[in-house]
């Protein structure tokens, strides 16, 4: 049940956050969604019942689902069209390594009598709080469309990329 809710809620949230990505500063949204995802991940290590476990994993899925559209939106504006496919590939590799690393950690720590199945959830969540704050304070919000060659002249003369998703577009997506 936990995986089902994790992916259903995460997928739905990805679409909604994709909409919000056009409305609010992505840097702030990414920070908030990381925290929204990591608090329940951390608390999963303290779950007492199956219902608590399922609820906390679903909330973690919400955070992860929200991070994906924000990350791709930021990559689109941080990297030129030529470099973007490599950046997306590196992101995909990092995601795969993160998933494999978390499962590996759980596989080694869970059965270890010095730890329990709870420890990997805590160990994976804690560094993300640090990274989220570092991102918030050290990164810059890229201009929308700033890496698109076609918009350079307009942006340099004070123009702004104005294309934004509309609420009605969500119905088409769903």
């Amino acid at each position: 049940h936990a995986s089902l809710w994790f992916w259903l809620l995460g997928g739905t949230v990805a679409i909604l956050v994709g909409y919000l990505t056009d409305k609010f500063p992505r840097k702030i949204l990414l920070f908030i969604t990381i925290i929204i995802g990591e608090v329940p991940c951390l608390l999963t290590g303290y779950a007492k019942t199956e219902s608590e476990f399922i609820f906390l994993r679903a909330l973690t899925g919400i955070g992860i689902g929200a991070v994906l559209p924000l990350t791709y939106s930021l990559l689109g504006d941080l990297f030129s069209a030529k470099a973007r496919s490599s950046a997306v590939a590196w992101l995909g590799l990092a995601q795969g390594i993160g998933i494999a690393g978390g499962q590996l950690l759980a596989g080694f720590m869970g059965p270890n009598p010095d730890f329990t199945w709870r420890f990997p959830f805590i160990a994976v969540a804690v560094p993300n709080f640090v990274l989220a704050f570092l991102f918030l304070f050290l990164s810059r919000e890229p201009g929308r469309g700033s890496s698109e060659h076609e918009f350079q002249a307009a942006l340099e003369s004070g123009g702004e990329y104005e294309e934004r998703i509309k609420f009605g577009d969500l119905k088409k997506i769903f």
Side-chain angles (χ1 to χ4, degrees), residues 37-154:
E38 293 307 321
V39 167
C41 183
L42 177 72
L43 294 176
T44 300
Y46 300 98
K48 301 273 190 262
T49 67
E50 181 181 1
S51 296
E52 284 179 14
F53 180 84
I54 291 170
F55 179 71
L56 291 167
R57 295 311 297 151
L59 290 180
T60 302
I62 290 171
I64 290 173
V67 164
L68 292 174
L70 285 163
T71 304
Y72 286 108
S73 176
L74 287 166
L75 285 180
D77 288 333
L78 289 170
F79 294 91
S80 68
K82 185 176 179 180
R84 198 171 300 139
S85 59
S86 293
V88 170
W90 280 106
L91 177 63
L93 179 62
Q95 289 171 340
I97 289 171
I99 291 168
Q103 291 176 348
L104 193 62
L105 179 69
F108 283 117
M109 296 290 191
N112 186 323
D114 295 331
F115 301 99
T116 68
W117 63 267
R118 299 170 183 278
F119 181 76
F121 291 102
I122 298 164
V124 169
V126 169
N128 288 313
F129 289 105
V130 174
L131 293 171
F133 279 98
L134 284 173
F135 173 78
L136 181 65
F137 293 116
L138 298 178
S139 69
R140 65 176 177 81
E141 176 81 22
R144 295 187 186 272
S146 61
S147 291
E148 298 298 330
H149 177 71
E150 294 80 8
F151 297 130
Q152 290 303 312

Side-chain angles (χ1 to χ4, degrees), residues 21-24 144 160-166 169:
T21 297
D22 266 354
K23 306 295 180 190
F24 298 101
R144 295 187 186 272
E160 183 179 321
Y161 181 77
E162 296 179 10
E163 182 66 29
R164 300 286 191 265
I165 193 170
K166 294 157 193 65
D169 295 337

Side-chain angles (χ1 to χ4, degrees), residues 3-19:
S3 293
L4 174 67
W5 286 110
F6 178 96
W7 292 111
L8 285 176
L9 292 173
T12 302
V13 167
I15 293 169
L16 295 174
V17 169
Y19 172 78

